[in-house]
């Protein structure tokens, strides 16, 4: 009888030790995300009325000794600009006369100018469609004329909390629209919808989707052409890293990062980061995941980029630009027509890109998987030991 009670006590305490180790593991995977910024959002700063050419959103993200300015604009092709300053009191000044004329730089400035450490911008320049008659997913096989996003009719920006929605369509769209949703963050975390990219307070997220548009062929597939600018170092190469397959983005083992090729201190740079996956339903789920690919970044005409985007012209003039295409769907995958929807998500941030770690659930499962046999072994050993001692000292019945 004494031996069974001992065994039970022994089991309970081992289980407590086990639970404690699981929780401490989970806790340590969260505790790195405490960096916060104070965010303020302003639409069309300094403009007396709604500008006719498109809205300009300014998000100020103030840290201890620095500020990130996120600017999102639909004057021309949709553009997201990120400016990192080493002062917590830097501001954005817009001369709307110059900014809307879109013919000289300096219409938008970050003051004082000598606090600017780094800036980068992403332009969504074109939507490309091709007829994949032979299901080879070769974009060059049978392309349709591209849709220039600078010629789209864009809605006003719809703000809700720390996100903004912009939708637009070409005149020739029979139905549907292309939408971009910008999200900014006070602290680190993950979005609620897939691919649930890991973000920090130093990054912003853009989700882009094409919904309900009537394709020009039943076997149409799509590409997005992106252009990126970085100052002082341009974003000129894409690194593909291994990533973890876990509950957040199952079945995706890679993460792509468009970075500058200049080495050196990581806090004076920026990045674009995405997972090579798109979703064929608004309500993203594993069965609607479709792989995507990117082409190699190639130098683009600075003048053309500046002409396409009011924000690029206003802040940079005509900067050195690299461009690439992201194509959605591989050979054998369903065509756009099957759901008339695809969505894709990308982060633009300052500093070094976030690195995925295992989620608490996966960690807990690993702890259970690896920990249980160990605990059982230990428990067995301890109990045998106690029993042996008990039998040594108790009189034999
Ligand atoms: C953010 O705002 C709070 C309250 O206004 C303030 O206490 C805190 O110091 C601010 N943090 C930063 C990083 O500016
Ligand atoms: C912010 O700047 C002050 C004064 O320059 C300095 O004392 C402090 O250490 C800085 N804080 C951080 C977090 O860099
Ligand atoms: C804005 O630019 C216009 C045209 O260059 C100029 O006439 C005007 O003075 C500027 N406004 C301000 C407030 O600087
Ligand atoms: C820019 O455009 C405005 C209005 O269209 C015009 O008045 C101005 O002269 C132009 N400036 C330059 C440098 O071309
Ligand atoms: C901010 O950066 C500018 C330019 O890089 C530099 O001249 C200035 O000293 C920096 N200020 C601080 C407080 O680090
Ligand atoms: C599709 O395949 C047919 C037969 O192999 C070929 O003649 C045609 O050129 C291909 N079309 C495209 C766009 O590759
Ligand atoms: C366009 O969308 C409307 C509303 O969803 C739908 O009723 C209509 O059939 C669509 N037109 C075409 C050509 O798909
Ligand atoms: C964000 O940027 C600030 C300032 O550059 C840096 O101190 C901080 O570690 C960064 N946070 C993350 C999560 O990258
Ligand atoms: C950057 O560093 C890597 C290895 O650390 C090196 O292979 C590469 O040549 C460097 N690139 C530049 C532009 O210095
Ligand atoms: C994207 O693809 C289109 C069509 O194949 C091509 O004309 C364009 O140059 C590509 N853009 C980039 C940046 O590679
Ligand atoms: C694809 O589009 C054609 C018309 O363009 C339509 O008849 C067909 O039903 C569509 N297929 C699917 C799966 O929606």
């Amino acid at each position: 009888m004494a031996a069974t009670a001992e065994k039970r006590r022994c089991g309970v305490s081992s289980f407590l030790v086990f639970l404690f180790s699981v929780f401490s593991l989970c806790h340590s995977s969260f505790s790195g995300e405490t960096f916060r910024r104070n965010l303020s959002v302003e639409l069309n700063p300094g403009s007396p009325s709604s500008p006719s050419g498109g809205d300009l959103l300014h998000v100020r993200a103030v840290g201890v000794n620095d500020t990130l300015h996120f600017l999102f604009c639909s004057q021309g092709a949709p553009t997201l600009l990120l400016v990192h300053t080493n002062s917590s009191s830097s501001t954005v000044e817009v001369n709307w006369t110059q900014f809307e004329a879109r013919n000289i730089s300096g219409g938008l400035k970050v003051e004082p100018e000598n606090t600017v450490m780094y800036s980068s911008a992403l332009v969504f320049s074109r939507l490309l469609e091709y007829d994949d008659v032979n299901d080879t997913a070769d974009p060059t096989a049978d392309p349709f004329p591209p849709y220039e996003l600078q010629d789209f009719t864009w809605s006003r920006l719809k703000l809700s909390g720390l996100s903004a929605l912009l939708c637009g369509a070409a005149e020739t769209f029979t139905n549907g629209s292309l939408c971009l949703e910008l999200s900014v963050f006070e602290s680190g975390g993950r979005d609620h919808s897939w691919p649930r990219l890991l973000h920090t307070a130093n990054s912003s997220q853009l989700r882009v989707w094409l919904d309900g548009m009537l394709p020009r062929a039943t076997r149409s597939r799509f590409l997005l052409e992106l252009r990126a600018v970085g100052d002082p170092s341009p974003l000129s190469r894409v690194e593909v890293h291994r990533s973890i397959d876990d509950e957040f983005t199952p079945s995706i083992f890679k993460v792509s990062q468009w970075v500058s090729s200049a080495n050196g201190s990581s806090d004076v740079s920026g990045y674009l980061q995405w997972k090579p996956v798109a979703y064929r339903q608004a309500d993203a789920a594993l069965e609607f995941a479709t792989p995507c690919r990117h082409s190699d970044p190639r130098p683009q005409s600075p003048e053309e980029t500046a002409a396409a985007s009011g924000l690029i012209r206003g802040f940079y003039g005509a900067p050195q630009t690299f461009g690439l295409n992201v194509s959605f769907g591989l050979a054998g995958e369903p065509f756009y027509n099957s759901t008339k929807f695809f969505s894709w998500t990308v982060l633009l941030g300052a500093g070094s890109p976030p690195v995925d770690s295992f989620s608490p659930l996966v960690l807990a499962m690993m702890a259970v998987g690896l920990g249980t046999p160990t605990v059982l072994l230990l428990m067995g050993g301890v109990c045998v030991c106690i029993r042996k001692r008990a039998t040594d000292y108790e009189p034999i019945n």
Side-chain angles (χ1 to χ4, degrees):
M1 256 179 62
T4 16
E6 200 67 54
K7 210 187 233 166
R8 204 176 294 146
R9 215 173 302 149
C10 175
V12 167
S13 59
S14 308
F15 187 65
L16 285 180
V17 167
F18 165 63
L19 267 187
F20 178 75
S21 56
V22 168
F23 282 117
S24 58
L25 253 177
C26 292
H27 181 74
S28 64
S29 74
F30 272 130
S31 53
E33 297 301 330
T34 49
F35 180 77
R36 295 184 72 86
R37 289 183 180 276
N38 283 351
L39 264 53
S40 55
V41 178
E42 194 181 4
L43 193 58
N44 302 315
S47 173
S49 59
S50 283
S52 52
D55 283 327
L56 171 69
L57 178 74
H58 175 214
V59 180
R60 224 168 152 257
V62 183
V64 182
N65 279 339
D66 71 340
T67 305
L68 294 176
H69 296 277
F70 295 99
L71 293 140
F72 187 46
C73 185
S74 58
Q75 300 236 352
T79 305
L80 177 62
L81 168 68
L82 163 59
V83 184
H84 190 190
T85 69
N86 63 2
S87 150
S88 52
S89 57
S90 58
T91 56
V92 166
E93 305 290 338
V94 187
N95 181 328
W96 282 95
T97 321
Q98 288 178 352
F99 189 70
E100 288 203 274
R102 288 173 58 182
N103 55 8
I104 51 165
S105 74
L108 186 146
K109 286 183 187 149
V110 173
E111 306 271 14
E113 274 178 281
N114 70 354
T115 62
V116 175
M117 296 194 291
Y118 175 79
S119 66
S120 60
L122 172 64
V123 182
F124 288 82
S125 49
R126 298 198 286 176
L127 175 70
L128 303 145
E129 178 179 1
Y130 64 100
D131 188 2
D132 194 9
V133 273
N134 293 337
D135 196 6
T136 53
D138 175 9
T140 54
D142 200 357
F144 288 108
Y147 293 108
E148 300 285 343
L149 267 51
Q150 58 178 310
D151 299 332
F152 276 33
T153 307
W154 294 104
S155 67
R156 305 236 70 107
L157 272 176
K158 280 193 207 71
L159 301 186
S160 71
L162 292 178
S163 62
L165 178 67
L166 177 71
C167 287
E171 268 172 31
T172 51
F173 274 22
T174 314
N175 242 358
S177 55
L178 182 76
C179 294
L180 296 103
E181 186 183 36
L182 172 74
S183 306
V184 287
F185 312 103
E186 285 179 323
S187 60
R190 282 178 200 275
D191 201 21
H192 56 273
S193 60
W194 285 18
R196 304 204 61 193
L197 296 180
L198 181 69
H199 61 247
T200 73
N202 296 340
S203 58
S204 57
Q205 175 180 289
L206 267 173
R207 190 166 91 95
V208 49
W209 65 92
L210 182 66
D211 185 13
M213 185 259 234
L214 211 62
R216 285 175 278 189
T218 52
R219 313 194 114 206
S220 277
R221 294 190 195 277
F222 288 86
L223 300 94
L224 269 175
E225 188 189 70
L226 311 177
R227 292 174 179 218
V229 166
D231 184 44
S233 43
L235 302 179
S236 56
R237 69 194 164 96
V238 177
E239 296 172 346
V240 179
H241 292 284
R242 268 173 201 284
S243 172
I244 299 160
D245 168 50
D246 74 357
E247 59 167 320
F248 296 122
T249 1
S251 81
I252 304 301
F253 300 96
K254 282 180 182 160
V255 61
S256 304
Q257 288 163 193
W258 192 354
V259 293
S260 67
S261 56
N263 288 340
S265 87
S266 59
D267 53 329
V268 196
S269 64
Y271 59 87
L272 282 157
Q273 187 190 57
W274 66 90
K275 289 201 173 174
V277 61
Y279 293 95
R280 289 183 286 106
Q281 280 278 330
D283 191 9
L286 183 57
E287 61 265 40
F288 299 115
T290 193
C292 48
R293 294 169 295 168
H294 63 84
S295 60
D296 281 332
R298 291 199 317 217
Q300 305 289 310
S301 149
E303 195 43 52
E304 212 181 283
T305 310
S309 161
L311 192 50
I312 296 288
R313 171 74 83 202
F315 184 72
Y316 289 105
Q320 192 183 356
T321 310
F322 283 82
L324 59 72
N325 284 330
V326 179
S327 61
F328 304 99
L330 304 179
E333 293 275 320
F335 300 100
Y336 172 79
N337 193 29
S338 69
T339 55
K340 295 200 175 61
F341 184 95
F342 74 80
S343 78
W344 179 71
T345 307
V346 60
L347 296 183
L348 172 66
S352 36
V355 179
D356 241 331
S357 60
F358 284 110
S359 69
L361 179 67
V362 171
L363 282 176
M365 272 156 55
M366 286 195 325
V368 171
L370 298 174
T372 312
T374 319
V375 167
L376 285 178
L377 271 176
L378 278 176
M379 230 164 81
V382 169
C383 291
V384 162
C385 201
I386 288 169
R387 237 175 126 177
K388 211 169 167 199
R389 287 181 62 159
T391 40
D392 279 352
Y393 291 101
E394 271 171 29
I396 302 155
N397 296 341

